[in-house]
């Protein structure tokens, strides 16, 4: 079969990213323009600012990527872009750019769900095996998904309130650390002990998650101590929080693997770059005879390579999109069957 080159665009949140991906696996060239330094000033992503920065950068990022690969859009077999979920204004910038390139260069257009991109990030340096359970842990999502094959998604569990990454960001803020908080909490936790008691996180027999309770608990713990003039040991708070969250992720993932009698697990999303969580999930898999797939850390947080990898699956299945497709802030994966 002839080689397939896809130009992929990702702009769902605060990263403007463009990638050229060969056969869904080979990262020919990727550029990521991160807006973190700007959003840091406000303690989190400001949607209006994000879309404006995407607009300023998108053409430059496309050009830079094509230059790195020494290729032109005419060398591509398709143009792909994230259309959902994400911030509407941000998504629109990538989507309209991709649709324009598709129209001008007469290339097929492929819309990609961001969450599918996160899962398929695992295909870049390895090859996913099915059936599998996928745990997606990001700033906006905490999902357990059963996949019978590369193109079928069944939601097994979801967070009932906050996403795990969002909770990390909030805990970082409570501990006076900048956005994005996840990596900072992870670093701090390394220096601490599990000395603070944390609430049980939705310790039931469902595969759902709930992180708002632990978030409020950390908030109350820190504020009440400050009001009483008592010192808190930040490192220990971070460590106790991370242990509790990780235990919950491990237990619920094991439950999903057992419920569906599946022996493959894939982990994805920004929080999957957390070494402590990676190790805990890997240990659980080793103890239970489960094969675990985890992306290289650089493909865990938002990037366009994962969108190109996912677009290749849709390309092979002739799942092209018309140019009247719109961005959607919250659309779940295709082929979803509710339990
Ligand atoms: O997947 P992602 O880049 O964007 C979304 O689609 O949401 O995930 C970003 C989230 C942020 O909440 C960030 O704090 C979290 O992933 N994150 C981490 C780590 N690195 C990024 N959380 C915990 N530990 C990390 N090392
Ligand atoms: Zn993401």
């Amino acid at each position: 079969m002839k080689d397939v080159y896809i130009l992929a665009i990702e702009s769902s949140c605060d990263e403007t990213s463009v990638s050229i991906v060969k056969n869904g696996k080979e990262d020919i060239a990727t550029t990521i323009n991160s807006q973190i330094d700007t959003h840091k000033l406000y303690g989190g992503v400001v949607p209006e600012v994000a879309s404006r920065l995407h607009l300023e950068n998108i053409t430059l990022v496309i050009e830079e990527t094509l230059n790195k690969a020494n290729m032109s859009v005419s060398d591509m077999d398709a143009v792909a872009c994230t259309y959902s979920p994400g911030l509407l204004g941000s998504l629109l910038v990538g989507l309209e750019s991709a649709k324009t390139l598709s129209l001008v260069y007469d290339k097929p257009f492929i819309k990609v769900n961001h969450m599918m991109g996160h899962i398929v990030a695992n295909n870049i340096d390895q090859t996913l095996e099915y059936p599998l359970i996928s745990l997606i842990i990001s700033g906006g999502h905490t999902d357990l998904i059963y996949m019978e094959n590369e193109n079928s998604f069944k939601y097994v569990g979801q967070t009932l309130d906050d996403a795990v990454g969002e909770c990390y960001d909030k805990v970082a803020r409570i501990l006076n650390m900048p956005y994005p908080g996840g990596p900072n909490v992870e670093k701090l936790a390394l220096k601490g002990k599990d000395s603070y008691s944390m609430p049980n996180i939705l310790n039931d027999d469902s595969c759902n998650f709930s992180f708002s309770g632990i978030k409020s608990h950390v908030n109350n713990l820190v504020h009440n101590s400050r009001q009483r003039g008592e010192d808190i040991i930040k490192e220990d708070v971070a460590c106790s929080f991370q242990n509790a969250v990780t235990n919950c992720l491990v237990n619920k993932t094991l439950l999903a693997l057992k419920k569906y009698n599946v022996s493959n697990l894939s982990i994805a999303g920004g929080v999957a770059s957390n070494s402590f969580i990676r190790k805990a999930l890997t240990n659980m898999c080793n103890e239970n005879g489960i094969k675990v797939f985890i992306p290289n850390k650089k493909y865990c947080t938002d990037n366009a390579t994962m969108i190109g990898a996912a677009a290749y699956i849709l390309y092979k299945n002739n799942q092209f999109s018309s140019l009247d497709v719109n961005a959607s802030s919250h659309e779940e994966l295709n082929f979803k069957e509710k339990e």
Side-chain angles (χ1 to χ4, degrees):
M1 197 181 144
K2 102 179 214 335
D3 288 331
V4 174
Y5 290 88
I6 295 179
L7 180 77
I9 300 181
E10 155 64 41
S11 69
S12 65
C13 189
D14 58 348
E15 259 97 27
T16 318
S17 180
V18 176
S19 189
I20 295 169
V21 180
K22 180 179 168 186
N23 300 332
K25 289 208 152 289
E26 214 178 309
D27 183 355
I28 301 292
T30 295
T31 312
I32 303 179
N33 182 284
S34 172
Q35 308 175 355
I36 282 178
D37 286 345
T38 306
H39 297 297
K40 233 179 209 169
L41 306 173
Y42 308 100
V45 179
V46 184
E48 282 302 318
V49 176
S51 46
R52 191 164 282 273
L53 289 175
H54 282 305
L55 204 54
E56 280 174 19
N57 289 311
I58 189 73
T59 326
L60 299 171
V61 177
I62 293 170
E63 259 174 23
E64 187 178 332
T65 310
L66 290 167
N67 288 342
K68 278 184 200 161
N70 200 15
M71 293 177 99
S72 134
V73 184
S74 32
D75 300 319
M76 299 297 131
D77 295 281
V79 178
C81 185
T82 307
Y83 76 101
S84 181
L87 302 170
L88 210 51
S90 294
L91 286 164
L92 278 169
V93 176
L95 193 61
E96 292 311 313
S97 311
K99 290 198 290 189
T100 306
L101 290 176
S102 155
L103 186 71
V104 171
Y105 288 87
D106 195 21
K107 299 290 175 185
F109 175 66
I110 303 170
K111 64 169 191 179
V112 179
N113 181 294
H114 183 79
M115 308 323 287
M116 179 177 179
H118 272 306
I119 298 172
V120 182
N122 276 293
N123 259 345
I124 299 166
D125 296 315
Q126 53 202 333
T127 301
L128 281 171
E129 290 170 32
Y130 303 89
L132 61 76
I133 289 288
S134 183
L135 170 70
I136 307 183
I137 39 181
S138 73
H141 288 257
T142 312
D143 297 330
L144 277 164
I145 293 171
Y146 170 71
M147 293 177 71
E148 203 170 287
N149 57 54
E150 64 180 7
N151 212 1
S152 96
F153 308 92
K154 177 174 177 165
Y155 282 76
V156 171
Q158 283 176 292
T159 180
L160 304 176
D161 39 59
D162 298 340
V164 62
E166 191 182 348
C167 193
Y168 262 93
D169 292 336
K170 178 71 188 185
V171 166
R173 212 170 161 159
I174 297 165
L175 298 175
N176 297 325
M177 291 186 297
Y179 173 85
N184 295 322
V185 173
E186 180 184 7
K187 263 186 237 141
L188 198 66
L190 269 180
K191 299 184 219 145
K193 292 189 298 292
D194 189 350
S195 64
Y196 287 97
S197 84
M198 292 283 149
N200 268 332
I201 308 175
L202 201 66
N203 197 6
D204 62 4
D205 62 0
S206 80
C207 293
N208 291 325
F209 302 92
S210 165
F211 295 107
S212 64
I214 192 164
K215 183 181 81 178
S216 306
H217 179 84
V218 173
N219 197 29
N220 294 339
L221 173 75
V222 173
H223 285 131
N224 292 346
S225 303
R226 279 181 190 147
Q227 268 171 357
R228 287 197 296 266
E230 293 167 6
D231 284 335
I232 50 143
I233 307 167
K234 279 186 178 186
E235 292 80 0
D236 287 7
V237 174
C239 177
S240 309
F241 161 78
Q242 179 159 270
N243 276 2
V245 165
T246 305
N247 283 340
C248 168
L249 292 173
V250 168
N251 292 340
K252 292 288 181 151
T253 304
L254 183 58
L255 200 63
L257 287 161
K258 286 190 170 157
K259 244 186 185 173
Y260 283 81
N261 196 18
V262 163
S263 55
N264 295 304
L265 172 70
S266 95
I267 305 165
V271 183
S273 62
N274 180 299
S275 299
F276 185 80
I277 294 175
R278 288 164 87 96
K279 194 160 164 224
L281 286 162
T282 304
N283 288 345
M284 176 275 280
C285 286
N286 291 342
E287 282 160 19
N288 289 278
I290 308 287
K291 187 163 179 183
V292 63
F293 298 86
I294 313 182
N296 183 311
K297 285 189 183 185
K298 71 176 173 184
Y299 297 128
C300 286
T301 42
D302 291 348
N303 65 88
T305 319
M306 67 184 197
I307 302 304
Y312 178 70
I313 292 175
L314 301 171
Y315 180 96
K316 279 191 305 180
N317 287 297
N318 280 317
Q319 286 176 283
F320 299 103
S321 318
S322 69
L323 291 181
D324 58 9
V325 57
N326 210 344
S328 159
S329 58
H330 58 267
E331 202 164 305
E332 290 186 328
L333 282 158
N334 302 329
F335 317 110
K336 177 183 168 184
E337 303 161 47
K338 272 270 183 206
E339 235 190 334

